Amino acid sequence: MAASPSTARAINDRLALRLLQDEGPLTATQLKALTGLSRPTVADLVERLQGSGLVHVVGESGAERRGPNAKLYGIVADRAHLAALDVRTRSVSVTVSDLLGTTLAEASAPVGDDTGTGPAVEKAVTLLERTVKEAGADRLHSVAVGAPGLIDPATGELRDSTGLPAWHRRLVAVLQERLPARVLVENETNLAAVAELREGAARDREDFVLLWLGQGVGAAVVLDGRLRRGASGGAGEIGFLPVPGTSGLPSATGCDGGFHELACAAAVEALAAAHGLDPVDALASGHGPFLDALARRLAVGAAAVVSVLDPGCVVLGGETGHQGGAGLAARVESELVALSPLRTEVRPSSLGDTAVLRGALLRARDAAQDELFP
């Protein structure tokens, strides 16, 4: 069945906006070539998008062509302002951007273990408000929060999890109460995977698993280019994965005894100390025996994931994955060859500590564009 004229216009408008988002400013002739639409149709959609306040003239094409230069059209970047928050156990980081994702201001602040729920929430909200003001944003359209823990797929809310600070859940509620903006929350590892998929180490992959190796241990699963959360939002909770070499078995209320015990930041620091290394510099030291021992540990968890999902690619993220870099990734890949018949490439994160914020910003931008774009 052919699309109605109004539906066809909406499809064409959205296509043009996505091209302007991905390719940058374009002339009407370039839009015609990229969309395959007729010149009159492109002229109509450009006029329509200008009238809606989504597109404006940002300049002219190069002067090398004969005759008058063609107008360059681009998205109105300040049509909406966005914010991303990376909420860790002991800190919070904030980025404010325009509709194109260009960073306008950013800041971070520690949140101590002895900070009560109320003061911790107020510190995070104040940091956001100050950063928004610094960015010159009158109001926010969409805010995305990346936090550790499970996100309820039915409600989109952060679940109350043991071992995580109470202020995390309270922060989301307070943001929803105080901001005239849409507030979204997503697991930090999932956001890091989205960023690696679209801007980082997995840009050329449709299938991959991101191993998050930091204070906590987790994974994000991307199959057919889509993030997979699982029935209860818990896909990738590999900290609870039973593996050999631990003190016992994990339980429903704690991941001690699971893969977490082998690969969390505290375990990596203890392994470094056992090799006579300063934990601060161990991952970047190039110390062969330490990196070999760590790679064997990480490969145990990676092999279990590979045997179930066969993603073809594993990205090492979090502090350990980023600091270990290509050297650690190569060692884990070598260990996997001995543990699994499934060929798997192992890559280090290319976004490092910025992955969660970048993923949150992409989430906020997608939400804003879905609402603003026809």
Side-chain angles (χ1 to χ4, degrees), residues 45-60:
L45 74 82
V46 167
E47 182 178 356
R48 195 162 52 245
L49 293 175
Q50 283 185 284
S52 69
L54 287 171
V55 166
H56 62 164
V57 177
V58 297
E60 295 183 338

Side-chain angles (χ1 to χ4, degrees), residues 122-208:
E122 192 59 35
K123 186 171 187 177
V125 174
T126 299
L127 181 70
L128 173 60
E129 292 174 339
R130 187 168 64 245
T131 310
V132 169
K133 184 177 181 180
E134 181 184 337
D138 294 331
R139 59 177 291 173
L140 294 173
H141 182 283
S142 299
V143 179
V145 181
L150 294 175
I151 309 299
D152 190 319
T155 65
E157 296 179 352
L158 184 64
R159 290 184 180 178
D160 187 9
S161 304
T162 58
L164 294 178
W167 67 269
H168 284 190
R169 293 187 74 244
R170 182 58 189 152
L171 172 62
V172 174
V174 170
L175 290 174
Q176 291 169 334
E177 292 166 4
R178 288 172 53 170
L179 295 178
R182 184 180 182 185
V183 179
L184 311 161
V185 60
E186 179 61 90
N187 173 267
E188 60 179 356
T189 307
N190 285 345
L191 289 176
V194 169
E196 296 289 356
L197 173 67
R198 292 169 61 175
E199 300 181 346
R203 279 175 294 181
D204 61 336
R205 305 292 307 198
E206 286 282 305
D207 306 305
F208 75 98

Side-chain angles (χ1 to χ4, degrees), residues 225-245:
R226 293 177 55 197
L227 181 67
R228 307 293 178 163
R229 295 179 176 84
S232 63
E237 286 294 322
I238 62 168
F240 290 87
L241 188 71
V243 293

Side-chain angles (χ1 to χ4, degrees), residues 10 34 37 91 102 118 158 191 206 214 228 242-244 253 309 313 355 359 366:
L34 290 169
L37 300 172
S91 68
T102 302
L158 184 64
L191 289 176
E206 286 282 305
R228 307 293 178 163
V243 293
T253 58
L309 298 176
C313 178
D366 288 347

Side-chain angles (χ1 to χ4, degrees), residues 22-358:
D22 295 339
E23 304 293 335
L26 298 169
T27 65
T29 299
Q30 289 171 324
L31 281 170
K32 175 182 178 297
L34 290 169
T35 62
L37 300 172
S38 68
R39 187 174 296 278
T41 300
V42 170
D44 287 344
L45 74 82
V46 167
E47 182 178 356
R48 195 162 52 245
L49 293 175
Q50 283 185 284
S52 69
L54 287 171
V55 166
H56 62 164
V57 177
V58 297
E60 295 183 338
S61 62
E64 71 277 358
R65 54 190 302 279
R66 298 178 111 187
N69 293 338
K71 295 177 181 177
L72 278 170
Y73 298 96
I75 291 175
V76 179
D78 60 2
R79 177 64 186 272
H81 289 101
L82 320 169
L85 284 82
D86 179 3
V87 179
R88 304 292 179 96
T89 305
R90 300 186 182 89
S91 68
V92 60
S93 298
V94 176
T95 293
V96 177
S97 82
D98 60 24
L99 186 58
L100 289 172
T102 302
T103 298
L104 303 176
E106 54 190 354
S108 60
V111 180
D113 293 337
D114 56 348
T115 307
T117 298
V121 169
E122 192 59 35
K123 186 171 187 177
V125 174
T126 299
L127 181 70
L128 173 60
E129 292 174 339
R130 187 168 64 245
T131 310
V132 169
K133 184 177 181 180
E134 181 184 337
D138 294 331
R139 59 177 291 173
L140 294 173
H141 182 283
S142 299
V143 179
V145 181
L150 294 175
I151 309 299
D152 190 319
T155 65
E157 296 179 352
L158 184 64
R159 290 184 180 178
D160 187 9
S161 304
T162 58
L164 294 178
W167 67 269
H168 284 190
R169 293 187 74 244
R170 182 58 189 152
L171 172 62
V172 174
V174 170
L175 290 174
Q176 291 169 334
E177 292 166 4
R178 288 172 53 170
L179 295 178
R182 184 180 182 185
V183 179
L184 311 161
V185 60
E186 179 61 90
N187 173 267
E188 60 179 356
T189 307
N190 285 345
L191 289 176
V194 169
E196 296 289 356
L197 173 67
R198 292 169 61 175
E199 300 181 346
R203 279 175 294 181
D204 61 336
R205 305 292 307 198
E206 286 282 305
D207 306 305
F208 75 98
V209 169
L210 171 73
L211 292 190
W212 184 263
L213 306 166
Q215 271 193 315
V217 174
V221 179
V222 175
L223 299 176
D224 299 323
R226 293 177 55 197
L227 181 67
R228 307 293 178 163
R229 295 179 176 84
S232 63
E237 286 294 322
I238 62 168
F240 290 87
L241 188 71
V243 293
T246 63
S247 59
L249 291 173
S251 70
T253 58
C255 52
D256 290 341
F259 182 53
H260 173 91
E261 188 176 307
L262 294 182
C264 69
V268 175
E269 290 172 0
L271 183 64
H275 282 81
L277 303 174
D278 182 345
V280 175
D281 304 319
L283 286 164
S285 68
H287 189 274
F290 163 68
L291 291 175
D292 289 342
L294 178 57
R296 284 192 292 272
R297 289 187 177 192
L298 299 182
V300 169
V305 173
V306 166
S307 67
V308 175
L309 298 176
D310 187 18
C313 178
V314 169
V315 176
L316 303 184
E319 293 89 342
T320 298
H322 178 53
Q323 293 175 19
L328 179 61
R331 284 174 164 86
V332 174
E333 182 174 323
S334 179
E335 293 291 335
L336 275 177
V337 170
L339 292 176
S340 172
L342 306 178
R343 183 174 177 82
T344 306
E345 183 181 2
V346 181
R347 303 175 178 179
S349 162
S350 64
L351 297 175
D353 294 339
T354 67
V356 176
L357 270 179
R358 287 304 306 168

